[in-house]
Amino acid sequence: RKEVEQDPGPFNVPEGATVAFNCTYSNSASQSFFWYRQDCRKEPKLLMSVYSSGNEDGRFTAQLNRASQYISLLIRDSKLSDSATYLCVVNKAAGNKLTFGGGTRVLVKP
Amino acid sequence: DAGVTQSPTHLIKTRGQQVTLRCSPKSGHDTVSWYQQALGQGPQFIFQYYEEEERQRGNFPDRFSGHQFPNYSSELNVNALLLGDSALYLCASSFLPGTTPLDTQYFGPGTRLTVL
């Protein structure tokens, strides 16, 4: 079983719609959680950190469920520019080794 | 404020050869981590350097080695290249883990290695 698992998609989303997807992690000792965005053939870029109480950044909302060990990302009012692969990232307790999921591909279409 | 830089951007090698990839961290950062990203997969952690020493290592063979210089820049060396080493190699820089609230890492643009 992979440490961080994501639905690879693609999620085909009409422009203006809402899309949500999850990732699950296996290490209950994980401390920090992030969503990174990666455009085709580019480097991952930090989209947002995920806090225990949930947090919002504009059209993006992240939630953390420690009991069930999953993280979610919701995108409202999708834009064409939101088309990308979204990587779920977990930071283990004992240092800064980031563990990535395989990514969820999102395609926003007109 | 310069971000993370990597060189070269692309590289083509043949099986059995050796390769060296370079990374300069974001200004102010002292910790460098290297990741391998195969096509269609998420990045996989190779190792991390701080104070010129390897602090953590992922599940990669000894063919993968690294170095960090006094100016915090870093090199990744891969010996005896295999076809399966073809990937995007990403460098990420940060402050020493545990010294900032979120341990955020910033990635460079990567080096795309093709092994023929």
Side-chain angles (χ1 to χ4, degrees), chain B residues 32-77:
Chain B
V32 173
S33 302
W34 286 93
Y35 295 82
Q36 179 196 66
Q37 186 174 25
L39 195 62
Q41 298 181 24
Q44 299 294 311
F45 175 77
I46 303 174
F47 42 52
Q48 182 184 80
Y49 277 84
Y50 170 71
E51 288 192 334
E52 304 178 49
E53 290 189 1
E54 183 181 293
R55 294 185 68 246
Q56 295 187 74
R57 189 179 183 91
N59 189 25
F60 279 80
D62 292 344
R63 299 187 297 110
F64 289 77
S65 63
H67 188 77
Q68 186 180 35
F69 299 94
N71 66 353
Y72 308 122
S73 67
S74 177
E75 288 182 350
L76 164 65
N77 299 293

Side-chain angles (χ1 to χ4, degrees), chain A residues 34 36 38 41 43 96 98 101, chain B residues 35 37 97 102 105 108 112:
Chain A
F34 308 90
Y36 276 73
Q38 186 171 29
R41 303 181 76 82
E43 75 272 24
N96 206 20
L98 296 183
Chain B
Y35 295 82
Q37 186 174 25
L102 294 176
Q105 294 191 7
R112 192 163 297 279

Side-chain angles (χ1 to χ4, degrees), chain A residues 1-109:
Chain A
R1 182 187 173 188
K2 292 182 179 178
E3 290 186 64
V4 181
E5 296 203 63
Q6 294 184 250
D7 182 338
F11 284 66
N12 293 299
V13 184
E15 192 175 9
T18 295
V19 61
F21 41 89
N22 297 337
C23 102
T24 59
Y25 61 94
S26 61
N27 189 335
S28 60
S30 300
Q31 286 194 337
S32 305
F33 308 89
F34 308 90
W35 284 104
Y36 276 73
R37 171 200 168 118
Q38 186 171 29
D39 294 301
C40 187
R41 303 181 76 82
K42 300 285 188 179
E43 75 272 24
K45 292 186 178 179
L46 180 65
L47 178 66
M48 58 196 302
S49 302
V50 185
Y51 302 116
S52 296
S53 55
N55 50 297
E56 192 173 299
D57 183 0
R59 299 180 293 107
F60 298 83
T61 301
Q63 296 281 350
L64 168 63
N65 186 316
R66 286 189 182 272
S68 300
Q69 295 183 204
Y70 75 82
I71 307 152
S72 65
L73 181 67
L74 181 146
I75 307 174
R76 288 185 302 277
D77 186 24
S78 297
K79 311 291 185 190
L80 296 177
S81 58
D82 294 333
S83 295
T85 296
Y86 292 84
L87 296 163
C88 174
V89 186
V90 172
N91 189 349
K92 289 186 177 180
N96 206 20
K97 172 190 168 184
L98 296 183
T99 302
F100 286 77
T104 295
R105 191 171 173 212
V106 173
L107 296 173
V108 181
K109 300 185 175 181

